[in-house]
Amino acid sequence: MNSKPGELLSKINSPDDLKKISREDLHKVCDELRQYIIDVVSVHGGHFAASLGVVELTVALHYIYNTPYDQLVWDVGHQAYGHKILTGRRDNFYTNRKYQGLSGFPKRSESVYDTFGVGHSSTSISAALGMAIASKLKGEDRKSVAVIGDGSMTAGIAFEAMNHAGVADADMLIVLNDNGIGIDPNVGALKEYLTDITTSPTYNKVKDDVWNLLGKLPVGKQFTRAMGQKLTDGLKGMVNGHANLFEALKLRYFGPIDGHNISKLVDTLQDLKKIPGPKILHIVTVKGKGYSLAEKDQTKWHAPGLFDKVTGEIQKKTFDLPQPQKYQDVFGRTMIELAESNEKVMGITPAMPSGSSLKYMMAKMPHRAFDVGICEQHAVTLSAGLATQGMKVFCNIYSSFMQRAYDMVVHDVAIQNLPVIFCLDRAGLVGEDGPTHHGCYDIAYMRCIPNMIVSAPMNEKELRNLMYTAQLASTKHPIVIRYPRGEGVIADCQPDNMAEKYPFEVIQIGKGRKIKDGKEIAILSFGHPGNFAAAAIRDVKNDGITPAHYDMRFAKPLDEELLHEVFSQYNKIITIEDGTVVGGFGSAVLEFMSEHGYKADVKIMGIPDRLVEHGTPKQLYDEIGMDANHIADALRSMVGVKVLQ
């Protein structure tokens, strides 16, 4: 079902068409664009509130700048839906985040208007600065614009980029979209600083008066522009009581202005386009603007799923029987149990308290669980610092986001052998967010680090027990516990009975478990995909195939006793993991086989050495040949049973 765009929006197939519309009608374009996003996302799903908040900014940028020649870089990409609709993708926007459809984020291979691929935050300033420097070197009169939210601005790379931009003498504009929230509410001193700027009537009135005054002063031999700039800086500093943070970085600061006033935005961008050098425009917006429920509960409406746009009722699946909890919720509730019994347990997450479910502990024990903002490097080293003082820190980070803090994992944790507990959420193929968010590489990149333990639970009970084991005083090394997004497999593991029905048990580090004996062929699984293997084993029973199944639990250290048993009894082996086949769990098994001189026919099943695009996890595991059906076919093929195509 395709939604119908409004009268003006239906005529806009590119920014050139947008430029043909009169300035007086731009507010109508904004209204129609906002309504079209509501219409499509309510029926087809996707990120929601972020794009509603930048409708006016999106229209103004494409109206004033000569895109795609002028280069527009969006940070993260949650807010780029309006950008996609205005740049030739309106009629297939309903395929957004669907299998083989439009990406949910800007993507260079999708459109010339998507100048830089984004999915992780805080990269826009660095990328736009690189483009601006290149344009200067090539003698091109191209403008570069980075749009970054105040949540993304908390990351170190944003400050590194601004620090460079201030002295690079490149023509670029940074638009700071200040709405006070990322996915969850923003945290930290920067948030307080921006609030001070936006709410200070004295600062804003005098700032406007300063610029009005300077516009009337005679610029010439007696009063130069440089003198005017010094006067401006002095007056700003005097009013603020301290120098503006951004101007201290040698970025000319403008704002704050109302990010929902399309006329003001157009006028301001038109003026700023004429001013050379690095500059920053601070706009204030409301995430979810134009949809009242989203304005009131911005976290809930960040990506609500399908909903009734009239009533605001979010569609939820209903079931006759209890369904398994999400791994994330098992983690979050188990954290409280552990913290109540061990005063040294603490929780850290970089801006994902809702997604990771650390929110439960933050609500109950705010002095022992922290959201540190979009600062993965800081989260890891903060955890290391806490660990030096005997704290048992659960550092909860999405697998793909952990890539941003790899040096800290090696330098600050592993080399010092600090027993930080890394709970890597979103391991494996996450679904509709696509390749920027798939947790493909952590087994390989963690397994190669000395002192590191790498584990994965097959189900919710195993997750609880690994978490319990990790916080014991006897666990002396850093440990990874990786688990996927979404539901587990144990229906009776519910919040009200979890502690009683599944009490904690110690798991010996490096010890796997045999799930069933078999003949001729064995499956070695690591983590949640062991459930795919169990389903495949049931499937091939009617073919007379009876594989053995081992849940290895640990990719490092391997359970060598179990592996000696496997290679002594079976000459056909399948390894299964929801990580890359390059250097992962399967590779570890092959290394063991080679080291000990075993000979066997080994098939590694996992995520192939290519980028896997977006779709539902079911579609993606089918595409890469790793779901239960493909595992069953692999079993049949290896034992010589004909596989029906």
Side-chain angles (χ1 to χ4, degrees):
M1 178 180 126
N2 292 356
S3 300
K4 187 176 180 181
E7 179 184 0
L8 293 175
L9 186 60
S10 65
K11 299 174 183 176
I12 301 174
N13 296 306
S14 73
D16 286 341
D17 295 328
L18 175 64
K19 290 176 172 64
K20 296 173 185 175
I21 295 174
S22 69
R23 289 174 58 127
E24 291 72 26
D25 284 337
L26 287 181
H27 72 280
K28 295 180 183 177
V29 175
C30 293
D31 291 343
E32 291 182 12
L33 180 57
R34 182 171 277 114
Q35 188 59 50
Y36 190 68
I37 293 172
I38 294 170
D39 291 346
V40 174
V41 175
S42 65
V43 174
H44 296 281
H47 295 103
F48 183 59
S51 284
L52 295 184
V54 292
V55 163
E56 288 81 9
L57 174 64
T58 305
V59 170
L61 285 168
H62 282 295
Y63 194 74
I64 293 300
Y65 285 91
N66 182 26
T67 56
Y69 185 76
D70 289 339
Q71 308 207 69
L72 176 57
V73 183
W74 294 93
D75 209 277
V76 183
H78 292 150
Q79 72 270 41
Y81 286 7
H83 160 80
K84 293 202 171 203
I85 293 165
L86 294 177
T87 54
R89 288 165 279 184
R90 179 195 61 233
D91 293 343
N92 60 348
F93 182 61
Y94 72 96
T95 70
N96 185 54
R97 290 168 52 87
K98 293 184 178 180
Y99 188 58
Q100 298 183 340
L102 294 178
S103 169
F105 304 103
K107 187 175 183 179
R108 280 172 57 83
S109 61
E110 186 177 289
S111 171
V112 293
Y113 292 94
D114 293 355
T115 61
F116 201 74
V118 289
H120 295 187
S121 87
S122 316
T123 60
S124 60
I125 304 176
S126 295
L129 177 59
M131 295 171 188
I133 291 173
S135 295
K136 181 182 177 182
L137 289 173
K138 292 191 289 185
E140 297 172 341
D141 183 22
R142 288 175 100 169
K143 306 297 183 182
S144 295
V145 181
V147 180
I148 184 168
D150 53 330
S152 295
M153 191 67 91
T154 62
I157 184 176
F159 283 89
E160 293 165 19
M162 286 191 291
N163 186 49
H164 184 195
V167 297
D169 192 29
D171 189 2
M172 72 172 295
L173 171 66
I174 302 165
V175 179
L176 172 57
N177 174 31
D178 181 0
N179 61 22
I181 191 166
I183 295 177
D184 290 281
N186 290 333
V187 297
L190 179 63
K191 179 199 74 169
E192 304 297 338
Y193 176 79
L194 293 176
T195 300
D196 287 345
I197 289 180
T198 56
T199 57
S200 169
T202 305
Y203 171 67
N204 286 297
K205 182 178 186 307
V206 175
K207 177 177 67 66
D208 291 339
D209 290 345
V210 166
W211 285 106
N212 290 334
L213 171 65
L214 289 175
K216 297 173 184 176
L217 288 174
V219 176
K221 290 183 179 179
Q222 301 302 315
F223 188 84
T224 66
R225 292 185 184 277
M227 293 168 62
Q229 184 63 51
K230 287 182 179 179
L231 174 61
T232 304
D233 293 343
L235 286 171
K236 284 183 181 179
M238 179 178 69
V239 173
N240 253 351
H242 55 81
N244 179 289
L245 169 66
F246 303 108
E247 302 224 357
L249 292 170
K250 300 189 182 302
L251 300 171
R252 292 191 65 181
Y253 173 87
F254 301 89
I257 67 170
D258 180 0
H260 298 300
N261 185 331
I262 184 65
S263 297
K264 180 71 170 176
L265 280 171
V266 167
D267 288 340
T268 303
L269 290 172
Q270 187 70 61
D271 289 341
L272 294 182
K273 189 177 177 183
K274 301 171 186 174
I275 298 175
K279 47 205 168 287
I280 185 165
L281 172 63
H282 182 181
I283 70 170
V284 180
T285 64
V286 176
K287 187 173 181 178
K289 179 71 174 179
Y291 194 77
S292 60
L293 292 173
E295 292 182 31
K296 294 172 184 174
D297 192 342
Q298 296 163 327
T299 298
K300 178 180 178 181
W301 288 89
H302 174 73
L306 308 186
F307 61 95
D308 185 315
K309 66 184 180 184
V310 177
T311 66
E313 181 181 358
I314 297 173
Q315 295 182 21
K316 294 186 180 297
K317 294 180 180 178
T318 56
F319 301 93
D320 294 331
L321 298 173
Q323 296 299 299
Q325 292 187 79
K326 294 179 180 179
Y327 278 101
Q328 291 67 37
D329 290 342
V330 173
F331 161 82
R333 293 180 173 114
T334 299
M335 281 294 295
I336 294 175
E337 285 183 62
L338 294 174
E340 287 175 340
S341 61
N342 183 350
E343 63 183 10
K344 294 183 177 181
V345 167
M346 299 186 71
I348 303 291
T349 187
M352 289 294 155
S354 293
S356 71
S357 291
L358 190 65
K359 62 182 181 181
Y360 298 131
M361 184 177 177
M362 288 172 60
K364 195 162 187 177
M365 304 175 179
H367 58 298
R368 292 170 62 187
F370 307 112
D371 171 9
V372 298
I374 305 176
C375 307
E376 291 85 2
Q377 295 174 320
H378 169 59
V380 171
T381 304
L382 173 66
S383 299
L386 288 164
T388 65
Q389 303 305 304
M391 299 296 111
K392 303 300 290 189
V393 188
F394 286 79
C395 184
N396 184 286
I397 300 181
Y398 290 7
S399 168
S400 63
F401 296 171
M402 179 58 88
Q403 294 157 191
R404 297 159 67 98
Y406 191 62
D407 181 62
M408 285 68 198
V409 172
V410 176
H411 183 273
D412 300 338
V413 177
I415 288 178
Q416 302 186 92
N417 198 26
L418 294 170
V420 174
I421 304 153
F422 294 111
C423 288
L424 299 192
D425 196 340
R426 270 57 169 185
L429 299 178
V430 298
E432 293 84 349
D433 280 336
T436 58
H437 286 62
H438 293 325
C440 303
Y441 311 114
D442 60 87
I443 303 172
Y445 71 62
M446 288 296 197
R447 188 174 75 85
C448 64
I449 302 174
N451 288 328
M452 189 66 67
I453 299 166
V454 182
S455 68
M458 185 171 160
N459 55 42
E460 303 92 298
K461 176 184 176 182
E462 290 281 299
L463 172 59
R464 285 173 53 77
N465 290 337
L466 283 169
M467 290 176 66
Y468 175 71
T469 301
Q471 54 88 52
L472 295 175
S474 57
T475 301
K476 304 292 187 182
H477 301 288
I479 180 171
V480 170
I481 305 173
R482 68 185 307 272
Y483 48 89
R485 176 189 185 190
E487 291 180 348
V489 293
I490 304 177
D492 66 350
C493 183
Q494 297 296 320
D496 58 350
N497 70 0
M498 191 166 62
E500 180 181 349
K501 199 155 192 174
Y502 295 95
F504 295 127
E505 299 174 14
V506 176
I507 291 178
Q508 184 179 337
I509 299 296
K511 193 68 178 173
R513 60 184 182 134
K514 182 184 349 182
I515 294 178
K516 70 180 290 292
D517 283 311
K519 296 178 181 178
E520 190 176 358
I521 188 168
I523 294 178
L524 308 180
S525 64
F526 182 58
H528 182 78
N531 298 290
F532 306 166
I537 289 170
R538 292 191 293 270
D539 189 23
V540 299
K541 186 176 181 180
N542 291 336
D543 296 308
I545 304 172
T546 56
H549 186 192
Y550 295 82
D551 169 24
M552 296 303 293
R553 283 182 176 147
F554 295 90
K556 183 180 182 181
L558 291 168
D559 187 337
E560 296 199 354
E561 183 180 347
L562 267 189
L563 288 178
H564 281 299
E565 175 184 318
V566 169
F567 280 100
S568 297
Q569 295 183 23
Y570 304 95
N571 59 8
K572 294 181 176 65
I573 297 165
I574 296 176
T575 69
I576 299 173
E577 62 195 297
D578 54 351
T580 177
V581 297
V582 180
F585 166 68
S587 297
V589 172
L590 289 181
E591 291 162 13
F592 173 88
M593 182 179 78
S594 175
E595 182 180 349
H596 294 279
Y598 287 112
K599 304 290 183 184
D601 183 6
V602 178
K603 180 177 179 62
I604 298 176
M605 300 187 74
I607 299 174
D609 185 22
R610 65 173 174 84
L611 293 176
V612 180
E613 297 296 339
H614 59 280
T616 66
K618 185 177 186 300
Q619 289 170 324
L620 298 181
Y621 280 113
D622 174 55
E623 177 192 306
I624 67 171
M626 211 193 101
D627 60 2
N629 290 334
H630 285 88
I631 296 170
D633 285 345
L635 287 167
R636 295 183 184 105
S637 178
M638 290 189 77
V639 301
V641 173
K642 187 176 181 181
V643 177
L644 298 177
Q645 298 298 327

